[in-house]
Each structure stands twice: as C-alpha cells, then as structure tokens.
Amino acid sequence: MKRRPLTGRGWGCLLSGILLMIAANIVSARPLLYLGVLLVALPLICLMIVRVPRRRGEVRRQISTDLLAVGETSRVQVRFDLWAFGVPNGIWRDTLPTAVRGEATGAYPQDALRYDLEGVRRGISVLGPLMLRTTDPFGLAQREQAFGDTRTITVIPQTVALDPLPTKVGAAGGTAQTRSTRIGQGADNLIPRPYAAGDSRRRIHWRATAHRGSLMVRQEEEEASPDAMVVLDRAADRWDRPGDEPDPLFESAVTLCASVALRLAQDGYSVDVVDSSGNALGALRGHEEDRDDLMIALAMVAPRGETHDLRSVVGSTPPGPLVLITGRLPDEDAEKLSTAGAAAPLLFAAEASDDAMSTVREHGWRPAPLPSSAVDLADTWASVLPFQAVPHV
C-alpha cells in the first residue's frame, strides 16, 4: 500500500492553515493570516526535509532453515546498512508473501533486525523488499522507501509421523518380490566364487580357498532391494479447481504423500514418488539431498493433467508397497483400478462412494477416505495397514 506524503497530523495542519487564511480575509484579521501561512508552510517544509535527502541501503537476510515447512517457525536475521545524511528515525517493515506470516516490523534504528516466520501455505514465494518509513520531528510528513533485493523462500509441505509398515510387508514387498542391481557396499555384501583367468589375486578369498581347497575370489553380491512406490493422482478432474485459497483436501493429499514417502524410506525401502501420468516427483535412495529435492517438488505441485492406467505408471516390475492418493474416485474408475501386482496396495481417496470403496477392496486394495486435516492422517494411515504395526524404535 502506497503511503501519502503527509501524515494525518500534516493534513490537519495544512487544512487548518487554509481555513485560517480564508477566515482572515473574511474578517480582515491580519494575525489570523500570519498564523494560517505558518500552518500551511510548516508541513511543506517538513515534507522537503523528509523527502529531499538521498538514501541508499543494502539488505542481507539470513534464514535459520533453508526449507520452511507449513506450520514450522524459522528465525530471520536482517542486516540493513543505510547510507544517508544523518540517521533517520522511523519504522522498518519487511514485505511478506501470503505463504508466510510473522511480525516483520520494528523501530529503526536498532542494533539487530530480526523476526520469526511461520509457514502457512506451501510454494515458492518472494520475501522483501525491506521498507523504511520515516517522519519529520513534528510528525507532519512521511517517506516510505524500499531497500535491498528480494529473497526467495520455499515453504514445503507439512509432514506427520506415521506408523512403520509391519515387517511381514517389508519381507513380502522387498526381497521376495523385487530385486535391484545396486551393488552393496562393505565386506558383508561379498561372496566367494571360483577363480577365473584374469581375476586379480588381490581379490582372493583366502578363508574360502582354505575351506574349498581351490582358489576362490570375492564377488560383490547383488543386494535384495525392497522397492516402494507412492502415486499422487493430481489429475485436474480429481480435485476442485484451484482458487485464491488452497483446496484443503489436495493439501492433505500432498502432506500424506510426503509423509508416506519418508515413512517408507525410514523402513528401508527405495521409494519412487510419481504422479498419475508417470512423471517423477522425486526418489528417496538414502541421501539427504533426495529428501530436499522431493520436498521442493511437492511444494510446487498442483492439480493438472490426466490420469493414466496405473499399470503403465508402475511398469513391468511391481513394487512391494504401492500407495495411491487420489481425489474423486467415480464408480466406473474404481472398476478399472488395478493393483498392478503390488504386494501391499494402499489407497486413499478424497471423495468416493461406498460402492467405489467396496469395488477397489474386492480388487485387492486396502482403501480409506482421505481426511481434510493433517491431524487425522496418522490414524487414517494406521487403519489401512495390513497387519499390526510395529512400534516406533
């Protein structure tokens, strides 16, 4: 909001001076004329004092967390270097986007400019510029000026703690169902095999050689890698049309998607997160940067595109756990919804009839309605687990 050059006091002084000058001419009172001229000139002089001096400044912001989650609080430290004739007194205010909220204002000058931010809406937004409003000593004129560059801030989805998958699901969905070609690291993943021409003698397994009576060498064993997949159905016809306010059901779906992916990764799965068109949103392979990449992708996700057949999304190798998060699920779509051969198919639908839920249950899914509040996600997740969940370690 652009501020007027004069404060309320300044406008009152100016109007009072004009009225006194008019009254002085009517009643022919020279003292009233002098007083009116003074009251008119004073705010104009104060306006020149405030607005004429040239000022330039540099702003640097430091945020305590690189990625701010919805509902999380972060501290912002602001370094504001101002070059001006004299040190003006005023009020500083940092411009906040709608994705965050906080008391980003205070008196100037002061030693340190700091405030707390709370994430309220996921997405990538712009923080800044810093605004400085100064007034003259009489409080008649004011000046508001922007300083410094803006800073990008990323608000990622909120995550909730979920119960781990039962160990039986991990065995069935992992080593028994899928096998990855990733090579294991460390001596525990080495098995002996007979020596072949060209093998380095440094790879001789002396203990196995002594046991077998013939040369044996170390060979890396392919690790059995349990794979899991999380599918976020963000097709445009599944959700309400995006408006000024976010759809609480879609926000709950994104929160559940992030929470499930992290839960499966903690359970030891190699997790792929895709949308209903097969586009990759992220993959968790045990690296910290994988988590950040997934959260940034989910911070920007929105309803769009169309839904494809789930079997084409999953591919020829079915995962162990398969988690499908969708919006509206018509009865005719429920009839065609396959589990794609997954060992543990779990489904969450924001809007589905009892017949649709019964149909997908007959197809092998364990379905549950998607709640609109993140508070209920943990209980909803626990209700679809195929077996008794093991307690958190």
Side-chain angles (χ1 to χ4, degrees):
M1 182 181 66
K2 188 174 181 180
R3 295 187 180 273
R4 297 174 178 176
L6 295 179
T7 64
R9 184 185 299 177
W11 284 110
C13 183
L14 182 62
L15 293 176
S16 298
I18 294 175
L19 292 176
L20 286 176
M21 292 171 62
I22 295 175
N25 289 326
I26 293 176
V27 300
S28 299
R30 189 177 296 270
L32 290 180
L33 179 62
Y34 293 154
L35 182 58
V37 171
L38 176 62
L39 293 179
V40 169
L42 188 58
L44 299 179
I45 295 173
C46 292
L47 185 62
M48 294 179 58
I49 294 174
V50 170
R51 302 188 68 87
V52 167
R54 298 185 59 183
R55 301 170 184 169
R56 60 186 181 91
E58 182 178 348
V59 178
R60 292 184 294 273
R61 297 176 184 84
Q62 183 178 1
I63 305 177
S64 59
T65 55
D66 295 332
L67 300 177
L68 178 64
V70 173
E72 185 182 38
T73 301
S74 180
R75 171 59 61 93
V76 180
Q77 299 276 356
V78 183
R79 172 82 180 270
F80 180 32
D81 297 322
L82 179 65
W83 291 274
F85 180 76
V87 180
N89 294 318
I91 302 294
W92 66 270
R93 173 178 58 87
D94 213 0
T95 306
L96 302 184
T98 56
V100 296
R101 63 186 171 203
E103 294 294 331
T105 185
Y108 184 86
Q110 60 184 33
D111 295 336
L113 281 61
R114 62 173 67 93
Y115 58 92
D116 292 331
L117 275 184
E118 181 185 358
V120 295
R121 184 173 182 175
R122 61 180 179 85
I124 297 179
S125 306
V126 175
L127 187 65
L130 185 77
M131 309 298 294
L132 180 63
R133 182 174 69 92
T134 57
T135 60
D136 64 278
F138 299 103
L140 302 179
Q142 62 183 352
R143 177 185 184 182
E144 188 169 61
Q145 188 176 358
F147 293 95
D149 297 328
T150 58
R151 164 75 183 269
T152 300
I153 183 169
T154 303
V155 181
I156 61 176
Q158 179 186 7
T159 57
V160 296
L162 303 177
D163 288 335
L165 282 178
T167 53
K168 293 182 179 180
V169 175
T175 58
Q177 293 291 334
T178 61
R179 194 172 183 85
S180 171
T181 58
R182 288 187 290 274
I183 301 299
Q185 299 178 357
D188 293 339
N189 300 312
L190 303 180
I191 59 174
R193 65 168 175 79
Y195 177 85
D199 286 337
S200 173
R201 289 187 175 272
R202 289 178 298 180
R203 298 179 60 190
I204 294 177
H205 196 301
W206 295 108
R207 182 179 298 178
T209 297
H211 180 72
R212 300 284 182 87
S214 61
L215 280 177
M216 305 292 291
V217 295
R218 293 179 174 87
Q219 172 180 279
E220 290 84 356
E221 180 187 11
E222 288 185 340
E223 285 186 341
S225 174
D227 294 329
M229 179 173 286
V230 181
V231 180
L232 176 62
D233 187 355
R234 56 167 173 162
D237 60 348
R238 301 291 195 197
W239 308 94
D240 292 337
R241 185 180 300 274
D244 295 335
E245 295 297 327
D247 178 9
L249 284 172
F250 186 75
E251 296 305 310
S252 180
V254 175
T255 294
L256 181 60
C257 178
S259 303
V260 169
L262 295 181
R263 177 68 264 171
L264 294 175
Q266 292 173 10
D267 288 342
Y269 288 92
S270 175
V271 185
D272 290 300
V273 183
V274 299
D275 64 10
S276 53
S277 298
N279 300 316
L281 298 175
L284 300 180
R285 300 289 187 265
H287 304 288
E288 184 65 26
E289 57 269 21
D290 292 345
R291 178 188 183 278
D292 292 345
D293 292 342
L294 172 63
M295 289 301 175
I296 293 173
L298 292 178
M300 299 181 292
V301 73
R304 68 174 179 84
E306 299 178 352
T307 299
H308 291 189
D309 182 63
L310 193 59
R311 286 168 292 192
S312 65
V313 175
V314 172
S316 58
T317 304
L322 171 63
V323 181
L324 173 61
I325 305 169
T326 185
R328 280 182 286 268
L329 184 62
D331 294 348
E332 57 271 19
D333 290 350
E335 290 283 353
K336 298 180 283 187
L337 190 58
S338 169
T339 61
L346 312 177
L347 183 145
F348 301 88
E351 183 180 335
S353 65
D354 293 339
D355 291 340
M357 293 296 240
S358 177
T359 299
V360 296
R361 189 177 289 107
E362 292 174 358
H363 290 176
W365 291 95
R366 296 185 65 87
L370 178 70
S372 60
S373 173
V375 178
D376 302 321
L377 288 179
D379 292 337
T380 302
W381 167 258
S383 69
V384 301
L385 294 183
F387 306 99
Q388 177 95 24
V390 296
H392 289 285
V393 179

